Amino acid sequence: MTNHHQSTRGRPRVAFVTCAELPDLDPDDRLALGPLAARGVAVEIVVWDDPAVDWSGYDLVVLRSPWDYARRRDEFVAWARTVPALVNPADVVAWNTDKRYLSELAAAGVPTVPTQWVEPGRAWTPPAGGEYVIKPAVSAGSRDTGRYDLTGPEHRELAVAHVRRLCDAGRVAMVQPYLDAVDTAGETALLFLAGPGGPAFSHAIRKGPMLTGPDLGEVALYKEERIDARSATTEQRAVAEKVLAVVPGGPDRLLYARVDLIPGPDGEPVLVELELTEPSLFVGYADGAPERLADAVLTHLARRR
């Protein structure tokens, strides 16, 4: 690693972008630094809103852990549009940082978790019963997210208050049925990394269930997750490929993609989220994944020569 005032003596100069709360990156991302150095790439860890940074001095700017963007999304998207050689590209960032993209994917035939959107200023009446997840359309790290059993009056009141709190802050709330298969099967994240022919499947992980009850206003940057290696099924791979095929602008521009799936009521995989902005890539959970991430960076550097 070098700082952003040092010469890299002709080596490709790449920024790994983070936030001030993670000045040394997420530890998982650091696993790619050695393979990149071995490939002759000089990587610098840079905070996205540091005014001293000259972004034009980098051959590639890779979004990694700028996880404080959710409360400053407009500022973050505006910044992304000023950065040359940003991956994933700024228009993808603008589209993917508002979870209303799920409606577009559903309209394109992608199986997704059914979602009700509550705009600021709109009244919301909770369903008569059942478990639901409430979260903002712009969020990261499972912040401002809660799980509610609407058969009970206390949870109904808390759910209404959660939606109101989000809308009063000018945020769009999303309400989704809680798919209880996640309690046993967990969530499967499929990771894709750029290659000569476009994004290629790299590995998969299992995330254990995280939501145990209502949102209590935690202010941590992100919620801790239980992660294990997992093999993706043929059905999961097929859904993930279908998701990537309908990304605006096409998938070939992507350096990375993470497709998060859970079993639907019929057991078939459905999309929870498509992570194209700053996802954890979990390269520490699969042999060769740090090297594949380094090669993905090289693929994008070669395209810009």
Side-chain angles (χ1 to χ4, degrees), residues 1-9 13 42 44:
M1 183 182 71
T2 61
N3 69 48
H4 35 262
H5 300 293
Q6 292 178 311
S7 169
T8 57
R9 294 192 176 92
R13 191 167 177 242
E44 301 170 16

Side-chain angles (χ1 to χ4, degrees), residues 9-29:
R9 294 192 176 92
R11 291 183 293 159
R13 191 167 177 242
V14 172
F16 268 24
V17 180
T18 186
C19 60
E21 293 176 73
L22 288 170
D24 295 319
L25 291 177
D26 182 75
D28 188 74
D29 287 324

Side-chain angles (χ1 to χ4, degrees), residues 98-174:
D98 186 325
K99 292 181 177 60
R100 283 177 285 186
Y101 69 78
L102 289 169
S103 294
E104 295 182 37
L105 296 181
V110 172
T112 62
V113 178
T115 305
Q116 179 186 6
W117 309 93
V118 186
E119 305 276 347
R122 296 286 185 89
W124 176 69
T125 301
E131 285 197 283
Y132 284 81
V133 173
I134 296 171
K135 58 186 173 182
V138 177
S139 65
S142 297
R143 293 181 66 178
D144 303 307
T145 300
R147 172 180 170 184
Y148 301 89
D149 183 351
L150 299 182
T151 58
E154 181 181 2
H155 270 223
R156 290 179 69 81
E157 290 179 10
L158 289 171
V160 170
H162 188 171
V163 170
R164 184 185 304 118
R165 184 167 66 250
L166 293 174
C167 291
D168 286 350
R171 307 172 80 184
V172 175
M174 49 193 298

Side-chain angles (χ1 to χ4, degrees), residues 213-295:
D215 173 48
L216 300 177
E218 297 96 336
V219 295
L221 187 61
Y222 58 90
K223 292 183 179 179
E224 294 293 337
E225 300 173 316
R226 178 177 175 178
I227 307 298
D228 300 288
R230 166 170 276 181
S231 296
T233 66
T234 301
E235 292 77 15
Q236 289 168 336
R237 292 273 297 269
V239 171
E241 296 283 359
K242 186 173 186 177
V243 171
L244 295 182
V246 294
V247 170
D252 289 351
R253 299 186 301 152
L254 305 177
L255 175 66
Y256 49 71
R258 197 182 89 198
V259 182
D260 294 347
L261 306 174
I262 58 177
D266 61 358
E268 295 299 310
V270 298
L271 179 70
V272 183
E273 289 190 21
L274 169 61
E275 299 271 12
L276 303 178
T277 302
E278 33 56 71
S280 294
L281 298 175
F282 305 115
V283 295
Y285 290 86
D287 291 343
E291 289 75 18
R292 289 192 289 275
L293 177 54
D295 288 337

